[in-house]
Amino acid sequence: MSLYLLMIGVMAWVWAVTPAFALVSATGYVRVATDSSKLLYLGANRAALLSTVAQAAAVTSPASVAVRLVTGPIGWAALGVSVGLALYQMHYSDTELQAVKQAAAPSNLQSGTGVVLPNGAALEAAQSCLYPSCTAGQAQIVTVAIPGKTQATCGLNVQPVAFPLPWFSNLGEAWNSGRNSCVQTFRYVYDGSSATNLVRSGVGVATAQQIQDYVAALPASDPKSIESNTTPLGQGASATPAATTTSTAVSPTEIPTTVKPIGQVTSTDAVVDPNAPKPAGTQTVPATQTSTSTTTTTTNPDGSTTEATQESASVSCSGADHDARSFGSVLQAHITTWQGSGMLSAVSLLQTLAWPEALPTITFTSTMWGTHQVDFNQWAAVFTVLRTLTIAGAGFAAYRIIFVGGA
């Protein structure tokens, strides 16, 4: 029985989340926002979206963030689209934001315990031993660049840098010709045993601006880019929840839409109206039928004649919106599409499923209420109805998919 109930749950889930628009479109046409519409909006509003991602990733513990593009109050009603429909969603999970933050972080130095040195810190390799090759008595020299100071002002009005490793001594501030900047110098002499005190290459902490610059330079195909993390929603699609969500109203001019036959809908389209009227100018041309009659005269032995007439007919049609595909090609396209959808594997369970002849009886024991039994055989008729509905529903769905459309 558990397998039986599991199968019902799987099929219900597949029907709920699979975009089989053939089951909901009454006109055969849908209004969609295509992938080019998404790219058009992302290009025009790229700076604001990049800033949102950068601010979310720059915090100590990034939490998921989502920006949803929803239909606004202007323009959509004339297209038969309701206000507040989510068209697209840019979504970054907390894990994805952490990956962006780490990738954008500048190369930096850290101690053996993971304490990160300030941005601008550099190990003077010519004057220092390098971990893990240091021996007792050798020193490490770390310089930290002081922004905003020139060679003339270096050493004046010195404000000691907040250096996080107290075992390093501050040797003062001076101009470093090798780095061409004003630096403060810190020195540590290795004691031969405290290896965690030695600095080594690590990863710094990225600022919001560094994160924004990093994401802005990513190609659209990169999994961290805003293009790759912006997915279509529309009718029948569920938005992914996030810790922080921002909804931005858009107009039809910002997200242009088009009407297309339902068979041409792709996975990158956001369906805004599943029952769009047929576009103006689309023609349905009546079929043209021609027939041919062939009469054969046969002379019988007694001199009489017998005539036999055979008629053949052919039907043809033409029109601007005529689908030139054959039934066989449409059928194969639908089979190929739905073989990868999960529907086929769910329906195939019916072939091997052993329907229970006797349902179980479950016993519950409680110190307060005693022993009780629940005999599911008393509801055998209910399970029979569920089984019948499951088979009938699967057959109906298969018929609609194959013979109506939705590829």
Side-chain angles (χ1 to χ4, degrees), residues 246-270:
T246 302
S247 294
T248 302
V250 296
S251 67
T253 57
E254 293 176 296
I255 302 287
T257 60
T258 184
V259 176
K260 61 171 61 176
I262 194 168
Q264 298 178 11
V265 177
T266 68
S267 59
T268 59
D269 292 335

Side-chain angles (χ1 to χ4, degrees), residues 31-34 37 76 79 81 87 252-259 270 272:
R31 180 174 293 278
V32 299
T34 63
S37 300
W76 291 105
L79 299 176
V81 180
L87 301 177
T253 57
E254 293 176 296
I255 302 287
T257 60
T258 184
V259 176
V272 299

Side-chain angles (χ1 to χ4, degrees), residues 329-356:
S329 64
V330 173
L331 177 62
Q332 184 57 52
H334 286 214
I335 291 175
T336 302
T337 299
W338 288 95
Q339 277 180 337
S341 70
M343 175 76 79
L344 187 63
S345 59
V347 175
S348 65
L349 287 175
L350 296 173
Q351 299 177 354
T352 58
L353 187 62
W355 305 100

Side-chain angles (χ1 to χ4, degrees), residues 192-337:
S193 60
S194 303
T196 56
N197 287 349
L198 296 170
V199 297
R200 70 284 315 270
S201 296
V203 177
V205 179
T207 64
Q209 186 60 51
Q210 289 171 328
I211 295 173
Q212 182 168 337
D213 294 342
Y214 168 78
V215 179
L218 294 175
S221 58
D222 192 285
K224 300 185 188 69
S225 68
I226 60 174
E227 291 83 2
S228 295
N229 286 274
T230 302
T231 55
L233 293 176
Q235 293 281 0
S238 299
T240 305
T244 302
T245 302
T246 302
S247 294
T248 302
V250 296
S251 67
T253 57
E254 293 176 296
I255 302 287
T257 60
T258 184
V259 176
K260 61 171 61 176
I262 194 168
Q264 298 178 11
V265 177
T266 68
S267 59
T268 59
D269 292 335
V271 177
V272 299
D273 182 5
N275 298 303
K278 183 181 295 188
T282 303
Q283 300 178 357
T284 302
V285 180
T288 301
Q289 179 173 329
T290 59
S291 61
T292 302
S293 298
T294 302
T295 302
T296 303
T297 303
T298 304
T299 303
N300 299 317
D302 60 359
S304 63
T305 59
T306 302
E307 292 184 352
T309 301
Q310 181 179 3
E311 293 189 359
S312 61
S314 62
V315 180
S316 63
C317 62
S318 61
D321 63 342
H322 177 64
D323 193 339
R325 296 179 299 171
S326 65
F327 172 81
S329 64
V330 173
L331 177 62
Q332 184 57 52
H334 286 214
I335 291 175
T336 302
T337 299

Side-chain angles (χ1 to χ4, degrees), residues 25 36 46 55 63 68-69 103 129 134 152 180 212 227 237 250 252 259 371-372 381:
S25 179
S36 60
R46 189 173 182 81
Q55 296 298 329
R68 294 171 188 163
L69 308 181
C129 66
C134 294
N180 194 33
Q212 182 168 337
E227 291 83 2
V250 296
V259 176
T371 301
H372 297 273

Side-chain angles (χ1 to χ4, degrees), residues 20-23 262-263 330 334 338 399-407:
F21 295 113
L23 302 178
I262 194 168
V330 173
H334 286 214
W338 288 95
Y399 167 79
R400 293 284 295 180
I401 292 165
I402 298 301
F403 296 102
V404 178

